[in-house]
């Protein structure tokens, strides 16, 4: 999948930076190959890649260890006066989830805890940092405002 660059990339980056939770979709081990979705907290690393703090006991983690392909749906927080969630901006980030290498662990921890300070209590348990290595995204900003976005366009400007 190689979507073209998109004019919607800045809006998608801004949306992901504003929000803190998404719907993580993995490929189930049982029943094999079916989509399995769960709510997940995330933060963005300096490179714009989503960071996840996942339990080794969680079904989505077991799914990812068997097949790293995943997506993270991030939706705009509902606000008063918006008649339907379908009128809100949303982006589906697509890629492969991989463990954060130990050499990058401190940076991941700092970025994640800046957004989710409550996550510190999980670091003593069976939780580990993972990164969604982006391959692309589908952005919908409202009726008629949608496009595919290539992964490099999702990297924040320096």
């Amino acid at each position: 999948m190689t979507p073209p660059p998109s004019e919607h990339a800045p809006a998608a980056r801004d949306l992901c930076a504003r929000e803190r939770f998404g719907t993580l979709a993995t490929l189930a081990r049982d029943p094999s190959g079916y989509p399995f979705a769960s709510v997940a907290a995330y933060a963005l690393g300096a490179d714009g890649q989503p960071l996840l703090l996942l339990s080794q006991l969680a079904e989505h983690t077991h799914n990812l260890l068997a097949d790293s392909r995943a997506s993270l749906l991030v939706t705009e927080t509902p606000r008063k006066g918006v008649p339907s969630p379908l009128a809100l901006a949303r982006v589906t980030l697509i890629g492969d989830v991989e463990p954060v290498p130990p050499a990058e662990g401190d940076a991941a921890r700092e970025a994640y805890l800046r957004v989710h300070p409550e996550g510190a209590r999980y670091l003593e348990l069976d939780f580990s940092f993972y990164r969604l290595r982006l391959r692309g995204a589908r952005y919908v900003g409202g009726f008629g405002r949608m496009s595919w976005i290539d992964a490099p366009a999702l990297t924040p400007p320096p």
Side-chain angles (χ1 to χ4, degrees), residues 108-130:
R109 177 188 184 111
E110 181 180 321
Y112 189 89
L113 293 180
R114 188 178 318 114
V115 176
H116 297 282
E118 72 283 359
R121 67 177 172 239
Y122 300 113
L123 296 176
E124 302 301 319
L125 301 173
D126 69 334
F127 285 71
S128 301
F129 286 107
Y130 292 82

Side-chain angles (χ1 to χ4, degrees), residues 15-113:
L15 175 60
C16 290
R18 276 194 320 270
E19 299 301 332
R20 302 175 50 224
F21 295 92
T23 302
L24 178 64
T26 60
L27 296 173
R29 294 170 305 130
D30 186 21
S32 180
Y34 281 87
F36 178 85
S38 54
V39 174
Y42 75 91
L44 298 180
D47 59 359
Q49 307 286 316
L51 298 168
L52 305 159
L53 183 58
L54 303 178
S55 169
Q56 299 309 307
L57 299 174
E59 190 69 23
H60 52 238
T61 306
H62 291 281
N63 292 342
L64 290 166
L65 293 173
D67 188 327
S68 65
R69 293 176 296 169
S71 65
L72 182 68
L73 170 64
V74 177
T75 60
E76 185 178 12
T77 299
R79 58 189 188 278
K80 191 173 182 169
V82 177
S84 166
L86 297 176
L88 299 170
R90 55 217 180 256
V91 62
T92 301
L93 306 168
I94 299 168
D96 295 279
V97 175
E98 60 190 28
V100 170
E104 299 172 29
D106 288 343
R109 177 188 184 111
E110 181 180 321
Y112 189 89
L113 293 180

